[in-house]
Amino acid sequence: MERIKIVVAGDNYLFTKGMECLIEESLLFELAGTVLNEIELIDKLSNKQADVLAIDISSIGWSEDILKRVMKYVPGLKVLAFNTVKQRNEISVVLGSGVTSYLLLCCDKAEITEALLKTAKGERFLCGKVLNALINIPKRELDGHDAGCPLYSVCAGVNISEREMEIIRYVSEGLSNQEIADKLFLSVHTVNTHRKNIMSKLGINNTAGLVMYAVRNQLVS
Amino acid sequence: MERIKIVVAGDNYLFTKGMECLIEESLLFELAGTVLNEIELIDKLSNKQADVLAIDISSIGWSEDILKRVMKYVPGLKVLAFNTVKQRNEISVVLGSGVTSYLLLCCDKAEITEALLKTAKGERFLCGKVLNALINIPKRELDGHDAGCPLYSVCAGVNISEREMEIIRYVSEGLSNQEIADKLFLSVHTVNTHRKNIMSKLGINNTAGLVMYAVRNQLVS
DNA sequence: TGGCAGCTACCGCAAAAGGGGTATTTTGTA
DNA sequence: TACAAAATACCCCTTTTGCGGTAGCTGCCA
């Protein structure tokens, strides 16, 4: 079986090194090279045939512009973008520039492996955390690049339960844990536990983060 | 000088009583009656000529629907609506139903007096707090009822200073008072004072309220 | 049938927020 | 120049969060 040739791009050591290890440890992949900037990238892509570009777009020096130029220069290139953010606007722009798949830098090895495989096959792979943010993007914004990507996959991502959603809503409305407990006929301890679990799942550590999550995911008006 | 005839509508005692006092204490106004429900209101408006309807739409039993029916039944009626909320959607709907002016129930006597006068003259009067929320409504949503109301007035409302805006932004980004203090080279006491002043001005009492304010007023993305 | 996820509930402790003040300095402006 | 508003800083105190645990119960599913 032919190995998938992957070019890694980014100027963050942990990212490039980590990707190199992942690729070389696997029998499925083959490292087609690591590049630090746009010039090296174009050079690498024109000299060596590659199947997938795994690029850290959170690095300083990488932007959607560069991505667009590369996509133009190497048509049909499959791109798996890594980023730190999961804001809708940002994701929208990146996917709009022709990127096939989108992961967060915090995704784990299994997710990255799966994403590389799917991307090589031309399928979309989005991190579940990203999908959460993406759900509300008007479909048309993606249509331009949808034709060739009929399949969507998502990694585990964040799964907020119904009860937890309820808690988030009340927190966002300004209720204290005690008030929420009264409203839902729960112990304040339970509300607090839910709150802790939510914050843990979302990787935040205060009320402001909870409210912003609620707003981004339209849990509140 | 002819007094302005005002009908007061609402089933909240403090509102109706307060309005009656305000109207009767003033030489400018004349109480055309107080009504508790829609039937009484229609009855009053058809029997007695009134210039302005001052209505508490936060009362149980009052809705935009009723307002619309009344506007239909008594074309050209000037309406000053009182409500508790200053959410954009809500205000949009209310003004969209033909209401001339919009105050919050927390507005003071001078503001109410001015609003009654302006409304009677066919001018719009919005509480500044309302205007803040309204700024982002697409203009077209109001156009249908704009023709007859060329003038806009606002009461003092809320005036959040630049420094306070800055604090709100940082709070919304999840920073603690201490972190904000470090970032702005301030004492944590100062940040706390700003925070207290903001909450006092906005009539809120926790972080969730601050973040929601920031979101509604587009201080954060 | 065993494990896992979700919901529930509790404990303790430290940190932060919230609410009440007061007071000085800076700044803009009438 | 005098006044008001804003910005700064501090005090005391209570309540709420946030974080570290533990643990029983239910329902699902491999």
Side-chain angles (χ1 to χ4, degrees):
Chain A
M1 176 184 160
E2 188 79 2
R3 293 192 184 198
I4 298 165
K5 294 180 197 65
I6 299 166
V7 170
V8 176
D11 58 12
N12 172 305
Y13 171 76
L14 290 176
F15 171 74
T16 53
K17 195 68 188 170
M19 284 302 293
E20 284 171 11
C21 290
L22 186 147
I23 291 165
E24 284 171 348
E25 277 175 10
S26 168
L27 296 174
L28 300 166
F29 308 125
E30 183 185 325
L31 184 64
T34 303
V35 297
L36 296 174
N37 55 50
E38 185 183 356
I39 297 145
E40 285 182 35
L41 178 58
I42 300 283
D43 187 53
K44 184 67 76 181
L45 289 174
S46 40
N47 288 336
K48 201 160 186 171
Q49 190 247 320
D51 300 309
V52 175
L53 166 64
I55 182 169
D56 172 15
I57 55 171
S58 77
S59 303
I60 299 164
W62 298 101
S63 67
E64 287 82 48
D65 282 356
I66 294 177
L67 223 42
K68 273 188 182 152
R69 276 198 294 276
V70 172
M71 300 297 295
K72 214 169 192 171
Y73 193 82
V74 189
L77 179 70
K78 312 279 194 311
V79 180
L80 167 57
F82 290 76
N83 204 352
T84 48
V85 293
K86 45 176 191 281
Q87 263 76 59
R88 270 191 292 163
N89 292 351
E90 182 82 16
I91 299 168
S92 177
V93 169
V94 173
L95 291 182
S97 70
V99 163
T100 309
S101 299
Y102 193 108
L103 283 186
L104 298 184
L105 285 164
C106 61
C107 287
D108 67 22
K109 188 177 173 180
E111 289 166 351
I112 296 173
T113 303
E114 195 182 346
L116 285 171
L117 286 171
K118 296 268 165 114
T119 306
K121 282 196 274 181
E123 299 174 13
R124 246 190 222 300
F125 187 96
L126 303 178
C127 173
K129 304 181 204 64
V130 169
L131 193 75
N132 275 347
L134 198 62
I135 281 165
N136 300 310
I137 298 186
K139 196 176 173 304
R140 55 180 165 69
E141 288 188 27
L142 293 174
D143 277 355
H145 294 276
D146 254 7
C149 297
L151 296 176
Y152 285 71
S153 300
V154 292
C155 67
V158 180
N159 204 9
I160 302 292
S161 72
E162 269 309 304
R163 196 52 148 180
E164 286 168 341
M165 295 274 199
E166 216 171 352
I167 304 289
I168 295 174
R169 267 192 294 269
Y170 283 125
V171 168
S172 304
E173 283 166 17
L175 302 198
S176 69
N177 288 352
Q178 186 60 63
E179 290 169 326
I180 297 171
D182 293 344
K183 201 151 230 166
L184 299 179
F185 305 106
L186 293 176
S187 153
V188 68
H189 297 294
T190 306
V191 176
N192 197 34
T193 302
H194 282 309
R195 201 170 170 145
K196 284 191 291 187
N197 291 338
I198 296 164
M199 292 197 294
S200 164
K201 282 184 185 176
L202 298 179
I204 55 180
N205 62 351
N206 51 39
T207 305
L210 276 180
V211 179
M212 287 309 294
Y213 176 86
V215 170
R216 292 210 180 94
N217 294 274
Q218 323 227 313
L219 301 184
V220 290
S221 65
Chain B
M1 175 187 160
E2 189 78 1
R3 294 192 184 198
I4 297 165
K5 294 179 197 65
I6 299 166
V7 169
V8 176
D11 58 10
N12 174 305
Y13 171 76
L14 290 176
F15 170 74
T16 53
K17 195 68 190 171
M19 284 302 293
E20 285 173 13
C21 290
L22 185 147
I23 291 165
E24 285 171 348
E25 277 175 10
S26 168
L27 296 175
L28 300 166
F29 309 124
E30 181 185 326
L31 184 64
T34 303
V35 298
L36 296 173
N37 55 50
E38 187 184 355
I39 298 147
E40 284 183 33
L41 178 57
I42 300 283
D43 186 55
K44 184 67 75 182
L45 290 173
S46 39
N47 287 335
K48 200 159 184 172
Q49 190 246 321
D51 300 309
V52 176
L53 166 63
I55 182 170
D56 172 15
I57 55 171
S58 78
S59 303
I60 300 164
W62 298 102
S63 67
E64 287 82 47
D65 283 354
I66 294 178
L67 223 42
K68 273 188 181 152
R69 277 197 293 276
V70 172
M71 300 298 295
K72 214 167 193 172
Y73 193 84
V74 190
L77 179 70
K78 312 281 194 310
V79 179
L80 166 58
F82 289 77
N83 204 352
T84 48
V85 294
K86 45 176 192 281
Q87 265 76 59
R88 268 191 292 163
N89 292 351
E90 181 82 17
I91 300 168
S92 178
V93 169
V94 173
L95 291 182
S97 69
V99 163
T100 310
S101 299
Y102 193 109
L103 283 187
L104 298 185
L105 284 165
C106 61
C107 286
D108 67 22
K109 189 177 173 177
E111 288 165 350
I112 297 173
T113 303
E114 194 181 346
L116 286 171
L117 286 170
K118 296 269 165 115
T119 306
K121 281 197 273 181
E123 299 174 14
R124 246 191 222 299
F125 186 95
L126 303 178
C127 172
K129 306 181 203 65
V130 169
L131 193 74
N132 275 347
L134 198 64
I135 281 164
N136 301 309
I137 297 188
K139 196 175 171 304
R140 54 178 168 70
E141 288 188 27
L142 292 175
D143 276 355
H145 294 276
D146 254 8
C149 296
L151 296 177
Y152 285 71
S153 300
V154 293
C155 66
V158 181
N159 204 9
I160 302 292
S161 72
E162 269 310 304
R163 197 50 148 180
E164 287 168 340
M165 295 274 199
E166 217 171 352
I167 304 288
I168 295 175
R169 267 192 294 269
Y170 283 125
V171 168
S172 304
E173 283 165 18
L175 302 197
S176 68
N177 288 351
Q178 186 60 63
E179 289 170 326
I180 297 170
D182 293 345
K183 200 150 231 167
L184 299 179
F185 305 105
L186 293 176
S187 153
V188 67
H189 297 293
T190 307
V191 176
N192 197 35
T193 302
H194 282 309
R195 201 169 170 145
K196 285 191 290 187
N197 290 340
I198 295 165
M199 293 197 293
S200 163
K201 282 183 186 177
L202 298 179
I204 55 181
N205 61 351
N206 52 39
T207 305
L210 276 180
V211 178
M212 287 308 294
Y213 176 85
V215 169
R216 293 213 178 91
N217 294 275
Q218 321 227 313
L219 301 182
V220 289
S221 63

